């Protein structure tokens, strides 16, 4: 099981992570971030296989994929 | 030779390499420059570069903002002259690793002459040339790389000039490492940048980067998803390109028109400026 951490101060809401997610586990959230954009959210965590493509393709270093029970600094 | 990518997280890259107070970046939504920075940091991590012994040099333009985000010494030089400054740094202190960020307008248009002569001298610098087909920061004027028929603020009826192929130019001048990749797939650029940093001599990595704001908006590629898909659909791997040119049907060859070759164009060895300079100093007992 994987989770994603979004730094909402850095995310610009370009939704590249959502567009390129191979398993369509991500979705653009309806709520607004403090910056006034729609951040991505992991709506189907059971589908996420931890490929980290969203993390690699994020132009703003805003996503970090973490495994359950193991949190990166 | 790189065997595989080590698993790192964006959080680790952020704490190790970035000036956090500079973030978020100034780049528009859908711009690939953040990705170029991301891939460069991955490559640096893979090579294990010491950032205290690395200098990032840039000229003017969107791409040239990149050294400002990296927690290392950087130089924001005058328009087009990034390579001239980089050559100077390298000649004065060959112990430093020099990485140049430049754009197509900065590196190949205004600084085209410096590009030629830095390759000719074979200075040991790694150049990451970000090609977005336009002068993005100054309002979308046409660049030397604007494709045939491409619309820009200075070519409102379509571009009639033949675009410049930077990689073929570098190849012809004998640069030891030449590669071109679009930013839409992460693994290949990371490996190429790492190889370019390890390479002794001039390494040019051309990154094809979407610019939805200045270029896409005038060419029917305004949406982020649309312009990123364009880069997937209009790039062909070098091997595949050569195969089609040799054995392909006329239709297949026709389909190559307007597309761009991607891949590693050249990977050779060549005597660098420093080697020759050291030989000269030894010979003439300077």
């Amino acid at each position: 099981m994987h989770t994603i951490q979004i730094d909402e101060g850095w995310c610009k809401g370009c939704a590249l992570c959502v567009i390129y997610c191979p398993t369509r586990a991500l979705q653009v959230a309806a709520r607004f971030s403090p910056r006034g954009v729609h951040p991505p959210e992991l709506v189907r965590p059971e589908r996420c296989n931890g490929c980290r493509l969203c993390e690699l393709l994020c132009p703003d270093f805003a996503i970090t994929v973490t495994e359950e029970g193991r949190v990166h600094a | 030779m790189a065997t595989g990518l080590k698993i790192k997280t964006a959080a680790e890259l952020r704490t190790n390499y970035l000036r956090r107070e500079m973030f978020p970046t100034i780049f528009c939504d859908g711009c690939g420059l953040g990705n170029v920075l991301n891939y460069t940091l991955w490559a640096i991590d893979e090579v294990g570069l010491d950032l205290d012994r690395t200098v990032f040099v840039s000229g003017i333009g969107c791409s040239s903002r990149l050294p400002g985000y990296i927690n290392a010494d950087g130089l924001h030089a005058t328009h087009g002259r990034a390579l001239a400054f980089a050559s100077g740094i390298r000649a004065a202190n060959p112990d430093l690793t020099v990485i140049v960020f430049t754009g197509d307008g900065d590196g190949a248009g205004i600084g085209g002459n410096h590009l030629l002569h830095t390759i000719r001298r074979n200075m040991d610098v790694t150049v990451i040339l970000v090609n977005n087909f336009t002068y993005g920061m100054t309002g979308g004027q046409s660049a030397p790389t604007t494709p045939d028929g491409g619309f820009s603020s200075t070519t409102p009826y379509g571009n009639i000039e033949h675009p410049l192929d930077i990689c073929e130019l570098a190849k012809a001048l004998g640069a030891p490492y030449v590669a071109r990749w679009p930013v839409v797939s992460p693994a290949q650029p990371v490996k190429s940048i790492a190889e370019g940093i390890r390479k002794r001599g001039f390494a040019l990595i051309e990154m094809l980067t979407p610019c939805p704001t200045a270029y896409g908006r005038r060419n029917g590629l305004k949406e982020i998803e649309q312009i990123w898909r364009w880069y997937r659909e209009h790039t062909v791997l070098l091997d595949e390109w050569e195969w089609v040119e040799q054995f392909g049907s006329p239709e297949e060859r026709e389909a190559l028109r307007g597309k761009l070759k991607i891949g590693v164009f050249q990977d050779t060895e060549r005597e660098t400026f420093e080697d020759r300079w050291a030989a000269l100093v030894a010979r003439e007992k300077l």
Side-chain angles (χ1 to χ4, degrees), chain B residues 119-197:
Chain B
I119 299 176
R120 189 176 60 80
R121 281 187 199 116
N122 201 12
M123 300 302 295
D124 190 359
V125 294
T126 305
V127 178
I128 298 163
L129 198 150
V130 182
N131 181 357
N132 59 3
F133 305 139
T134 190
Y135 283 86
M137 190 174 261
T138 49
Q141 289 85 356
S142 88
T145 45
T146 305
D148 225 347
F151 295 98
S152 69
S153 62
T154 47
T155 56
Y157 303 105
N159 183 26
I160 53 164
E161 296 167 12
H162 297 287
L164 170 65
D165 191 329
I166 300 163
C167 284
E168 292 293 344
L169 176 77
K171 205 175 135 185
L173 286 162
Y177 191 88
V178 183
R180 179 196 282 142
W181 296 109
V183 291
V184 294
S185 44
Q188 299 91 331
V190 173
K191 282 189 178 176
S192 257
I193 296 170
E195 277 174 32
I197 295 170

Side-chain angles (χ1 to χ4, degrees), chain A residues 7 12 35 55 57 60-61, chain B residues 9-10 14 24-25 27 35 38:
Chain A
D7 187 327
K12 292 193 193 124
R35 274 177 63 93
E55 194 176 313
L57 279 171
D60 295 294
F61 300 86
Chain B
T9 62
R14 275 163 52 159
T25 58
F27 308 130
N35 297 68
N38 198 346

Side-chain angles (χ1 to χ4, degrees), chain B residues 21-32:
Chain B
E21 66 278 10
M22 293 287 288
F23 274 79
T25 58
I26 62 153
F27 308 130
C28 313
D29 276 10
C31 174

